[in-house]
Amino acid sequence: MYRSILEETRLLRAFLAVRRNNGCPGIDRQSIQHFREHLGIHIRELSRLLKDKRYQPLPAVRVYIPKSNGKRRPLGIPAVRDRIVQQAVLEAIQPTLEQTFSAASYGFRPGRSAGHALAQIREYIQEGYEYVIDADIEDFFGTIDHTVLMAKIRNAIRDRDVTRLISQFLNAGVMEEGRYRKTTTGTPQGGVISPILANLYLTELDYCMERAGLKLVRYADDFVILCKSVNQATYAMKTLRDKLKKLKLSLSEEKTRITSARQGFTFLGHTFWKRGNTVYTFPSDKSMSAYKDKIRHTTRRQQPKNIKMVIERLNPIIRGWGNYFRNGHGKKRCQRLDEWTRMRLRAFLLKKRRVSFEAHTKYPNTFFKGLGLVFLVDLMARRP
């Protein structure tokens, strides 16, 4: 397995994957474009270092991304060279690890998606699993225990050189505000191999819930457990806490609760709500708020762009959001968002905070349609 990682053809394919994902330079300040300018030299050098077992990953640059609750999410940005090697490692180990993963896991896996996870939840609710443990692991990516993780890696991957390489990535450390910090726990969000390592770490949880007769749906570290009664949900909560304790993880008490589909709950940005025999799903309030923030920024009045340029920037945002939510029951919410977006565009054209009724007459919906603006309701109408 290790010999396949150091092959120049695999490293070249890994570079192409890294380039598609784009991303910022790491600690060495080398961009993807700069790496590409001397691609052959860099690929041969990486291959030689790996072959001689002298390759050493650089510390990741730690940055913080603001969250909607006012907190910040830490991200680790590896150097381009390290992202390439991580991608090569991922391609080498994925077929082996995929054989060990549970059917309850949907995140960052070939042929699986958030849409599949959401469809499975709807199916379970319709089968009578209406009581839900809406859970959140406290700082999951930051608290993964390296000793526990490496034991799982060595058990699944018998190639010592590959496990050594993964250990090097885990222990490469981070640079934060100009200071080096050693990493003794966690796997940085932003690393190419972090998602598959997270799946490996939580696979034990997946099978534990399955053996207990519980219905779990997990997407990376986001998951819900569905039960048929309050008593079963109480049992599931205890089982969950016991298993996470063995994995040296803990639940976020403020974000974890027992609820029901009739009360409503949110997963992966979708709100589930059962009325009668129908399970409704629609964009959550938080998802709508985040969408508005993006539209608000793109349609801000003080920018040197004309309306066509603004619409060109808006359309990918609208398509991406609309396609993600197209299979639910959120048509009315999408209509309201479309109206709000057109109001923002009218204000942009008039350079005013508020628009009058005359602005709707001067710039009707057909005006924006003629400029190519995508409407969310049209995306909903074409759902499969």
Side-chain angles (χ1 to χ4, degrees), residues 114 118 121 134 219 222 265-272 281-290 321 324-325 333:
L118 297 166
I121 291 174
D134 185 5
Y219 191 93
D222 292 324
F265 66 95
T266 297
F267 184 68
L268 299 181
H270 292 69
T271 293
F272 289 79
T281 59
F282 45 84
S284 68
D285 292 342
K286 185 176 178 180
S287 297
M288 292 180 68
S289 178
W321 200 88
Y324 184 68
F325 290 102
R333 291 196 165 205

Side-chain angles (χ1 to χ4, degrees), residues 57-62 168-175 180-184 188:
L58 299 170
V61 175
R62 176 163 287 174
Q168 285 181 304
F169 283 120
L170 291 175
N171 295 291
V174 297
M175 289 294 294
Y180 172 78
R181 295 182 185 273
K182 187 177 180 180
T183 47
T184 56

